[in-house]
Amino acid sequence: MTTPKLRYIDPHVHMVSRTTDDYAAMAAAGVVAVIEPAFWVGQPRTEVGTFKDYFASLVGFERFRASQFGIKHYCTIGLNSKEANNEALAEEVIELLPRFAGKEGVVAIGEIGYDEMTKAEEKFFRVQLELAKEMDLPVMIHTPHRNKKVGTSRSMDVCMEHGIPPARVVIDHNNEETCKEVLDRGFWCAFTIYPKTKMGNMRMVDLARKYGSERIIVDSSADWGISDPLAVPKTANLMLENGISAAAVDAMCYRNALLAYGQSGQISESDWLDAATIDPKREFEGNSLLRGGGPETGGPETAGQGSADVRIIK
Ligand SMILES: [Zn+2]
């Protein structure tokens, strides 16, 4: 069976921890745009300056890097819940946020919410919901991996308390236990597809059968741990093979993310449909990236992800 060629958006992927091969493979698989949420980076940060440089790379270098593979890069800005627990540092990070949240390509405040549901997490979650209102940006919510059901309900309650319309909030990392409530309450319901644990691809097919495609979003959350930057196209193919309609797959793996984050006014389809081809001579602060071996020599599919021979130095 031939599958229709669809376009994909991966609306939750931490590209700073991925390689150029990943970008090339994503482009070859049909990913036209990615959204990179600001998050924890594995090693806890000890100085506000490292947050500043991280945010700067999300709106700067990473955006450029993606462009060199024909992918449009957007991001969300926020203080993650884990690092909210270092309160003195968190205060300084909060001061920094408005400066970055207003930059081009920032489509939401996020990912924010709860990790262990501590007092400090709650405080900075609320502060950032107010920031989202001030900046007129949607919100991306990270739900806790432990105590998920309670944490997810509570996250939605807090958004409502701050008067944020559910249609402007994406609740991420859902599962079978949380999905119904999120949809019933009118929030966007995103699912992270990890290769082995948590939400697997086939479970997503079953969820799509049960709940349809309205307000459902599929993402990879790929980062430095075991994860798959091709989770969105792979899940899309699996859904198509299992009889989910192309229109529903298009909604879950492309259009819904565009609708949700399009409310920022910072992402629209014309960004990639009308885009010029990759300019391999483009530089970022005087530095090039492709080193003469990138997409200009034959498209992203030869940039390194697939055939070994293109990586052999002759
Ligand atoms: Zn994430």
Side-chain angles (χ1 to χ4, degrees):
M1 181 180 128
T2 52
T3 48
K5 180 84 180 144
L6 294 174
R7 286 190 185 92
Y8 304 111
I9 294 175
D10 188 340
H12 188 146
V13 60
H14 299 282
M15 294 310 296
V16 293
S17 59
R18 308 302 307 195
T19 65
T20 52
D21 281 7
D22 292 330
Y23 269 125
M26 290 167 87
V31 175
V32 293
V34 295
I35 298 175
E36 173 149 12
F39 196 50
W40 185 56
V41 288
Q43 177 73 41
R45 283 167 281 212
T46 57
E47 313 265 350
V48 71
T50 64
F51 278 91
K52 190 172 142 200
D53 292 342
Y54 172 67
F55 296 146
S57 78
L58 293 184
V59 297
F61 180 67
E62 204 54 48
R63 200 169 155 79
F64 164 73
R65 200 163 80 100
S67 76
Q68 295 296 276
F69 294 88
I71 292 178
K72 292 283 166 187
H73 183 282
Y74 306 86
C75 71
T76 74
I77 292 291
L79 167 70
N80 67 87
S81 48
K82 249 183 206 298
E83 286 172 305
N85 291 303
N86 181 344
E87 278 194 68
L89 180 57
E91 294 285 4
E92 291 183 78
V93 177
I94 293 291
E95 293 294 308
L96 208 60
L97 296 179
R99 203 201 303 177
F100 288 98
K103 298 267 189 209
E104 195 185 336
V106 177
V107 298
I109 295 297
E111 46 186 304
I112 60 172
Y114 295 115
D115 181 43
E116 299 285 350
M117 305 202 357
T118 64
K119 262 201 163 118
E121 289 170 21
E122 170 105 14
K123 170 179 156 190
F124 293 108
F125 181 18
R126 288 177 183 277
V127 166
Q128 293 184 91
L129 288 175
E130 286 303 311
L131 176 67
K133 285 197 318 203
E134 270 165 48
M135 309 282 306
D136 199 22
L137 282 171
V139 178
M140 182 196 282
I141 303 283
H142 163 96
T143 55
H145 298 298
R146 277 179 293 267
N147 227 344
K148 168 141 333 250
K149 195 159 169 43
V150 175
T152 303
S153 298
R154 179 101 195 97
S155 302
M156 291 187 282
D157 294 344
V158 171
C159 289
M160 298 306 284
E161 281 173 37
H162 284 263
I164 300 190
R168 289 181 66 83
V169 182
V170 178
I171 307 286
D172 211 336
H173 312 313
N174 280 287
N175 61 22
E176 290 86 347
E177 232 183 40
T178 57
C179 178
K180 188 174 185 307
E181 186 190 344
V182 171
L183 290 172
D184 285 349
R185 294 177 71 171
F187 289 80
W188 295 93
C189 185
F191 292 89
T192 295
I193 313 296
Y194 289 114
K196 289 176 184 142
T197 54
K198 299 171 188 161
M199 279 300 309
N201 310 42
M202 202 55 213
R203 283 167 65 192
M204 193 62 231
V205 175
D206 294 336
L207 277 160
R209 279 204 188 105
K210 188 165 177 190
Y211 294 102
S213 60
E214 201 188 333
R215 273 183 288 114
I216 289 184
I217 295 173
V218 173
D219 62 63
S220 74
S221 265
D223 56 16
W224 61 88
I226 291 179
S227 47
D228 185 356
L230 296 179
V232 175
K234 282 180 182 173
T235 306
N237 285 332
L238 193 70
M239 290 200 278
L240 292 168
E241 282 165 26
N242 282 276
I244 309 286
S245 74
V249 173
D250 176 69
M252 291 182 278
C253 300
Y254 179 76
R255 201 153 306 276
N256 289 349
L258 193 54
L259 290 170
Y261 295 107
Q263 297 178 86
S264 65
Q266 290 294 322
I267 175 172
S268 88
E269 214 171 21
S270 59
D271 296 353
W272 47 91
L273 295 185
D274 305 343
T277 47
I278 299 162
D279 175 6
K281 295 198 177 60
R282 245 186 90 204
E283 294 186 339
F284 184 82
E285 295 184 355
N287 298 298
S288 74
L289 194 138
L290 297 176
R291 301 185 177 118
E296 84 281 13
T297 59
E301 62 278 14
T302 60
Q305 95 286 0
S307 55
D309 54 308
V310 302
R311 282 187 252 181
I312 295 167
I313 298 166
K314 294 190 176 104

